[in-house]
Each structure stands twice: as structure tokens, then as C-alpha cells.
Amino acid sequence: MTVLDHRAPSTGWATARNARRYRADAAAVRTSPHAFAAAVADGIGDTPRAAEAARRFAEVALDAAWLHGPTAGIMAARRAASSPHPDEPALTALAPARHAEPGPHRATTPGHDGPPLRLHRPAPHLRPVPNRPAASPDDRPPGNAVLVVATGDHRGWSVAWAGDARAYLVTDGDAIPLTTDHTVGRYFRDRGADPGPRLDHVVTSTVRSGAIGTTHGRSTGRLVLVTDGVHRVLDAATLGRVTRAVADPADAAGALLDAARAAGTTDDCAAVVLDLSRPAARAALHAAA
């Protein structure tokens, strides 16, 4: 197990590969004494390109969100998805370690009524076509991901998302979902149908295309960003209980991943825990009220 631990009093994140071949969930966080930005991305598929897409989109979204808010972060990732990155590392560097135990990376950073439904499924591995040369690495489908981005300062917090990565507000009561999954299952349930759980795994919005959801608030507590490897096995009550039980944000993020594994997840996971209840943050919010 590899553990990265750089603690700060307000923010922590954790990721884990679990039973997947590639760690295709990524998190990125930036904080100052008075503001924060965070992004969690879930690569679509279990491929090197999915892993690279998640890492790159989370970083690009974080940079833009820090300056212009979470919706700008997702739009920046969308622009990055359509153009090559000149400094992109070789995808072979993302191959899974053969003898490493799948485990969490933990860290903290310092102070549809819209367009036609489009489905996004994990891309299969390409197989050589009989009597033709095998596809070269450059012919493989480009990486894609779902993404949730959050920012906050003394005026409150904002969240934007594309796909089924989620944000929750954890207070003294339950964990309150702030996002609505962009999935086929949710699409039909909102229209009175029951499509079954399998369609909850097919997203209608991603970094590359589809709707972007937004929400805003001023509540204190803890803001939690997670991928579906966590929220598909932990209901809101459990997620809230686990988050509240651990004081340190990095340990709380790691505890969410531990709970997800105990509940049976085999998917890779990512969690970010942002503490909105710091005394300075509460004072700033009250002063601005």
C-alpha cells in the first residue's frame, strides 16, 4: 500500500485502485487561508487512457476553477479533452504495478429536458482486425471521464458536475446530496419509469459532452466529493456517519474508501473532504451575512 500524507487542517483526499487494473479515479485540491478549490474525476473504463484522462481533467479543472469557479473548471477540462496536451506523459507510465497491493493514496493540500440523450460507455480494448495490422497506440479511443468540481470562500461554496461523480454536504444531521447523477437510469426515473439498476452505470454527460449541473450554498459543515466506487455502496446516512466520525480530513477521506471496500466495492475510488467549519470560515460567513 502506498500512502501519501501531507496534512493541512482543512482538506484531505484519498484514492484507491482496488481490484481494477488502472487507478482511473483522480483528485486535485488547492487551498489558501480564505478559499479552496477541488476536483474529483472518474475515468470511463479500465485503461491507461482513462487513467490519464481523469488525472489531466482534474488538474485542468482545478486550475480554472481556482480563478473562475467550478463551471469554468469543467469547461476548461472540456476544451482540454478536444486538444492534445504537449507535455502529456507516456501512457505506458500508467501501467499498474505488478506486485503492489491496491491501496489508498492519501494526501492533503496546504492552506433532462435538454439535448438528445447521448450514452457514454467504457470503451472496450481494441482487438486486431483479422488480416490487418493491429491498431497502434495513437489509434486507441481517447480517454474520457466524469467530473465534479467545488470552490468556496467567505461568500459560500459552489459545485458543478458532469456525470455521476457526486458532492454531499455533511452537517450534524445526514449527508445531503448536492448533485444529481447524469445517467440513463436517472433520466428514466425522472420520467416515471423504472429502468433497473444496470442503466445507472451508463452516463449521459461527461467531460467531453453533455449537460453540466450547478448548485450553490452558504452552509458550514463538510463538503464531500466522491466517485461512484464510493457512493454506489455507501448510502447517504453511512457516508455522513463515516465522515463525521473522523476529525482529520485526510483520515476521513481514507475512512470513506475503507468503508466502501468493506461494503464490497471493487471499483477504484476517490474522495475529497473539505472542512467548511473552520473558525475562520465560520467568522467570515457570519460577517458576510
Side-chain angles (χ1 to χ4, degrees):
M1 179 173 68
T2 302
V3 177
L4 304 177
D5 193 355
H6 310 288
R7 295 174 185 275
S10 62
T11 307
W13 60 261
T15 67
R17 176 164 58 89
N18 296 326
R20 307 280 276 187
R21 295 181 63 236
Y22 298 91
R23 190 185 298 266
D25 285 7
V29 179
R30 184 176 299 167
T31 65
S32 74
H34 307 293
F36 67 81
V40 164
D42 184 351
I44 297 177
D46 188 14
T47 67
R49 291 208 169 184
E52 172 59 22
R55 183 200 63 77
R56 181 181 170 200
F57 295 159
E59 292 176 353
V60 169
L62 180 73
D63 288 342
W66 182 254
L67 297 174
H68 305 295
T71 302
I74 295 181
M75 292 303 298
R78 186 161 286 182
R79 289 191 296 272
S82 62
S83 61
H85 195 297
D87 300 320
E88 188 169 270
L91 294 175
T92 53
L94 294 165
R98 294 293 183 181
H99 304 291
E101 175 189 356
H105 287 279
R106 301 184 186 183
T108 53
T109 60
H112 182 106
D113 292 321
L117 197 65
R118 297 187 63 180
L119 311 186
H120 303 268
R121 296 181 175 86
H125 295 287
L126 288 181
R127 298 191 179 105
V129 177
N131 301 321
R132 295 183 185 176
S136 70
D138 290 338
D139 293 330
R140 290 175 295 184
N144 200 358
V146 299
L147 181 65
V148 59
V149 184
T151 60
D153 56 23
H154 67 278
R155 295 166 294 184
W157 47 261
S158 298
V159 174
W161 72 98
D164 61 350
R166 290 184 184 177
Y168 292 84
L169 178 66
V170 177
T171 62
D172 292 336
D174 246 351
I176 303 167
L178 300 176
T179 57
T180 301
D181 293 348
H182 296 145
T183 63
V184 175
R186 181 62 187 239
Y187 178 90
F188 283 110
R189 286 190 189 92
D190 286 347
R191 289 152 179 79
D194 184 7
R198 291 184 63 184
L199 291 183
D200 290 328
H201 296 272
V202 183
V203 294
T204 60
S205 181
T206 70
V207 168
R208 291 185 175 274
S209 64
I212 297 174
T214 60
T215 188
H216 315 275
R218 294 172 61 87
S219 304
T220 58
R222 275 185 162 173
L223 197 61
V224 179
L225 312 181
V226 292
T227 57
D228 66 350
V230 178
H231 69 68
R232 290 201 189 282
V233 296
L234 300 183
D235 59 22
T238 302
L239 187 145
R241 183 173 63 254
V242 172
T243 304
R244 289 193 304 270
V246 183
D248 182 86
D251 289 340
L256 287 171
L257 270 56
D258 292 340
R261 281 193 294 272
T265 193
T266 58
D267 198 359
D268 42 8
C269 301
V272 169
V273 176
L274 300 152
D275 190 354
L276 305 176
S277 298
R278 303 189 308 279
R282 285 199 300 268
L285 284 168
H286 290 317

